[in-house]
């Protein structure tokens, strides 16, 4: 297949071509370019890619093509395809994508996940489904209760394997793999490839094609990043302050903990700013509702923890605010990638208190540059390394501020297959105080995949917030 082929060049079945035409997709994304041809040939695949790259269509299209070209009679409780994914939100998104791409193909789909009653899921399975999207816990529950059998499976997709590992799902997954028929088509996706994940892949895949994309860098290039130094107990004031700017139309605020997310919502509510929180303690219904309100523009600010936000696919997020910096540098890149989707530009502002300086250093090493100081520093305090905002007359200039210092070393390497699984540019973690507290953030699992340069946006900030102003 020639490079940069179009969907037309792929010999997909007519109903799929029609659905793609209707979605307006013309050129496959890099992961689709790399994955679809070998998948159509029936090769196993290991893909290093994350949500936001077009990964869902990369596996959904060949699967739909296969099922449409080889019809089989529906069998109660025996799906032909199983897609395992770590979170309910991702499961729903994948399910929705299958329905869109497969709208002209006569197939049945179901999605099962925990936290909701199982009766409708059992009913759907009992009438037979071709394609099942599931989270691991509920899947195993249903299998144990004999509502589901995997013996008839033709295709198995393991999605976000590294996140599965972070969330403690590896044992359930091993259990599922043991139940699968020997002959099957396997697809394995993970954003990072630490050794445990490579090991799991090796038990599952037969002579796989390896595909790697570096989505984060390409997305992140469009994001204007900036830093606001702030005293820990002034963060809420700072958040209220930045949200006064009407340019902050659709904002995700990240906190490290569920408790922190709730607190921020309360504070914003008191200030008359409509916000909702999503995190692991919220019911499925509450999370869905919050996402819908946010998507529809009824809620201006969504407060999220990292796990809850994983896979959120909402376009036109104008700003990502790191109310607390993540303790895993790579999470920073995932977070800011929530904005600047679908080719739009976006802004990411990080609030950094003294205790988070070590996290900031890790992040800057990972992305290979300093995050520029925001022009607006209303709650700035000087740390041991003085980082002072420029006097007002200099603010538009983008010149060096304070201890602008040298560029961080390292960072920016691509994580590739077969590596050690440790961050290579991430630096030591013993160089500063660490905030305490229960965190929902995943543990570090692999090295950086940030390939290219990360643009910091224009250095001539004149707006009160959101505009970076050159180096520190
Ligand atoms: P995913 O990584 O599957 O979550 O996809 C990210 C976004 O890209 C989704 O909003 C898809 O609808 C969109 N998308 C997927 N493939 C294409 C394509 N070939 N052209 C344009 N948009 C796409």
């Amino acid at each position: 297949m020639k490079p940069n082929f179009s969907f037309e060049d792929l010999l997909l079945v007519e109903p799929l071509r029609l659905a793609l035409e209707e979605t307006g997709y013309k050129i496959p994304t890099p992961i689709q370019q790399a994955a679809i041809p070998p998948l159509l040939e029936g090769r196993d695949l290991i893909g290093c890619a994350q949500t936001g790259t077009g990964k869902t269509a990369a596996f959904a299209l060949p699967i739909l093509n296969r099922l449409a070209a080889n019809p089989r009679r529906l069998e109660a409780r025996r799906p032909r395809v199983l897609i395992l994914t770590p979170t309910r939100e991702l499961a729903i998104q994948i399910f929705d994508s299958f329905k869109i791409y497969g709208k002209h193909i006569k197939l049945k789909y179901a999605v099962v996940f925990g936290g909701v009653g199982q009766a409708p899921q059992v009913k759907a399975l009992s009438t037979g489904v071709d394609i099942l999207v599931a989270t691991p816990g509920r899947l195993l529950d249903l299998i144990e209760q004999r509502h589901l059998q995997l013996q008839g499976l033709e295709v198995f997709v393991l999605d976000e394997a590294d996140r599965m590992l972070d969330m403690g799902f590896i044992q359930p997954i091993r259990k599922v793999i043991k139940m699968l028929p020997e002959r099957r088509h396997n697809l394995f996706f993970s954003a990072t490839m630490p050794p445990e994940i490579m090991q799991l892949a090796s038990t599952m895949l037969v002579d796989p094609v390896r595909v790697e994309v570096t989505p984060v860098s390409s997305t992140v290039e469009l994001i204007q990043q900036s830093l606001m130094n702030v005293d820990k107990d002034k963060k809420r004031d700072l958040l209220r302050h930045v949200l006064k700017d009407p340019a902050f139309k659709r904002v995700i605020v990240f906190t490290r903990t569920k408790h922190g997310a709730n607190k921020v919502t309360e504070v914003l509510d008191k200030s008359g700013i409509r916000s909702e929180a999503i995190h692991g303690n919220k019911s499925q219904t509450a999370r869905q509702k919050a996402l819908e309100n946010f998507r529809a523009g009824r809620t201006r600010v969504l407060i999220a923890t990292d796990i809850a936000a994983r896979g959120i696919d909402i376009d036109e997020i104008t700003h990502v605010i790191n109310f607390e910096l993540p303790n895993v540098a790579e999470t920073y890149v995932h977070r800011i990638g929530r904005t600047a989707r679908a080719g739009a530009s976006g802004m990411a502002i990080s609030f950094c208190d003294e205790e988070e300086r070590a996290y900031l250093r890790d992040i800057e090493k990972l992305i290979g540059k300093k995050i520029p100081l925001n022009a607006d520093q209303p709650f700035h305090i000087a740390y041991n390394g003085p980082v002072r905002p420029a006097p007002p007359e200099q603010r538009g200039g983008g010149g060096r501020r304070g201890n602008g210092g040298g560029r961080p070393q390292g960072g920016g390497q691509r994580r590739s297959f077969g590596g050690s699984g440790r961050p290579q540019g991430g630096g030591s973690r013993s160089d500063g105080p660490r905030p305490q507290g229960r965190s929902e953030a995943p543990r570090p699992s692999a090295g950086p995949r940030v390939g290219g340069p990360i643009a910091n946006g224009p250095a001539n900030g004149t707006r009160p917030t959101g505009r970076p102003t050159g180096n520190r």
Side-chain angles (χ1 to χ4, degrees):
M1 189 68 67
K2 65 181 193 252
N4 287 324
F5 56 83
S6 72
F7 282 114
E8 282 294 305
D9 297 325
L10 288 166
L11 298 175
L12 297 172
V13 294
E14 191 51 34
L16 264 186
R17 292 161 76 98
L18 188 60
L20 284 171
E21 221 176 281
E22 286 167 8
T23 54
Y25 298 178
K26 291 198 170 58
I27 301 295
T29 65
I31 181 87
Q32 293 162 4
Q33 295 269 344
I36 294 177
L39 288 176
L40 286 172
E41 286 170 16
R43 294 281 306 271
D44 277 8
L45 179 130
I46 176 165
C48 192
Q50 64 180 53
T51 303
T53 55
K55 180 187 61 171
T56 317
F59 64 78
L61 297 175
I63 289 174
L64 287 165
N65 198 73
R66 174 193 176 122
L67 266 56
N70 307 284
R72 193 180 93 183
R73 221 157 47 87
L74 265 185
E75 288 180 72
R77 292 175 287 280
R78 286 166 74 100
R80 297 177 71 182
V81 178
L82 170 65
I83 297 121
L84 257 193
T85 193
T87 68
R88 300 176 270 200
E89 283 78 12
L90 279 169
I92 292 169
Q93 272 177 33
I94 293 169
F95 173 69
D96 288 344
S97 296
F98 267 99
K99 282 197 299 192
I100 292 168
Y101 305 137
K103 68 199 262 199
H104 301 298
I105 306 174
K106 216 168 157 284
L107 291 170
K108 283 190 76 181
Y109 314 92
V111 58
V112 300
F113 45 78
V116 294
Q118 71 168 38
Q121 300 175 357
V122 170
K123 191 164 170 227
L125 294 173
S126 69
T127 54
V129 296
D130 295 290
I131 296 175
L132 177 65
V133 187
T135 56
R138 178 55 62 92
L139 181 90
L140 281 173
D141 282 353
L142 292 167
I143 292 172
E144 274 157 26
Q145 296 167 54
R146 301 188 187 283
H147 294 304
L148 179 65
Q149 292 169 6
L150 299 181
Q151 289 81 354
L153 211 72
E154 295 171 34
V155 185
F156 176 56
V157 182
L158 184 61
D159 186 34
E160 307 236 346
D162 54 347
R163 200 54 44 174
M164 297 277 200
L165 181 73
D166 290 336
M167 293 172 75
F169 284 144
I170 284 300
Q171 284 319 318
I173 285 165
R174 289 192 199 284
K175 223 168 150 180
V176 171
I177 292 173
K178 283 205 186 106
M179 297 175 193
L180 302 176
E182 191 104 334
R183 266 177 65 93
R184 57 177 199 263
H185 189 191
N186 296 295
L187 286 67
F188 185 104
F189 290 94
S190 192
T192 58
M193 293 286 170
E196 295 109 304
I197 289 301
M198 292 301 286
Q199 200 273 333
L200 180 71
S202 70
T203 63
M204 207 185 106
L205 302 167
V206 181
D207 186 24
V209 173
R210 294 165 179 238
V211 171
E212 185 177 11
V213 291
T214 49
V216 166
S217 59
S218 52
T219 317
V220 167
E221 276 161 26
L222 298 163
I223 303 171
Q224 294 178 27
Q225 303 169 69
S226 69
L227 189 76
M228 297 184 91
N229 288 314
V230 59
D231 227 351
K232 192 172 184 170
D233 60 8
K234 287 278 185 288
K235 282 195 174 183
R236 291 169 197 174
D237 296 326
L238 181 59
L239 183 61
R240 278 196 295 253
H241 169 80
V242 299
L243 290 174
K244 279 186 195 146
D245 185 345
F248 287 63
K249 276 201 189 99
R250 190 172 297 191
V251 186
I252 294 197
V253 175
F254 280 98
T255 61
R256 271 197 303 270
T257 64
K258 302 169 198 175
H259 177 69
N262 288 340
K263 274 264 166 265
V264 172
T265 317
E266 281 167 27
V267 168
L268 292 186
D269 275 358
K270 278 190 195 137
S271 313
I273 299 167
R274 197 177 152 150
S275 70
E276 283 186 88
I278 57 163
H279 54 65
N281 283 1
K282 296 264 173 181
S283 73
Q284 171 61 13
T285 322
R287 283 157 75 165
Q288 279 307 115
K289 208 161 156 237
L291 280 179
E292 272 160 35
N293 284 337
F294 187 59
R295 193 175 268 124
R298 287 189 289 273
T299 307
R300 183 176 162 216
V301 185
L302 189 70
I303 323 284
T305 55
D306 291 300
I307 285 178
R310 181 87 182 169
I312 290 178
D313 182 21
I314 295 176
D315 292 341
E316 293 169 34
I317 289 170
T318 58
H319 294 77
V320 167
I321 297 177
N322 290 310
F323 185 82
E324 288 154 333
L325 285 185
N327 49 1
V328 176
E330 207 181 26
T331 303
Y332 171 83
V333 183
H334 288 307
R335 285 183 180 185
I336 69 170
R338 301 291 107 208
T339 181
R341 288 175 82 85
S345 62
M347 289 189 188
I349 299 178
S350 297
F351 294 179
C352 181
D353 67 36
E354 194 167 3
E355 288 181 353
E356 294 173 310
R357 302 299 287 178
Y359 296 167
L360 177 66
R361 277 197 289 276
D362 287 351
I363 291 165
E364 290 182 333
K365 277 184 182 160
L366 173 70
I367 65 175
K369 60 167 61 189
K370 292 245 179 217
I371 302 173
L373 204 60
N374 195 292
D376 187 30
Q377 297 288 334
F379 298 100
H380 171 74
I381 49 151
Y383 304 119
N384 40 359
V387 183
R388 294 184 189 286
E393 66 275 13
Q394 285 181 23
R395 281 195 185 165
R400 246 178 73 158
R401 312 247 186 270
N403 68 341
R407 293 255 153 220
Q409 302 298 306
Q413 295 101 327
R414 265 171 76 141
R415 176 78 180 93
S416 56
F417 289 104
S420 68
R422 307 303 309 169
Q424 292 168 12
S428 154
R429 292 193 170 265
S430 59
D431 55 353
R434 295 274 151 186
Q436 301 297 309
R438 205 153 62 86
S439 168
E440 229 195 319
R443 63 182 186 71
S445 53
R449 287 157 298 101
V450 185
I454 296 180
N456 292 317
N460 60 340
T462 47
R463 292 222 327 246
T465 50
R467 293 265 171 206
T469 59
N471 300 326
R472 279 166 290 154

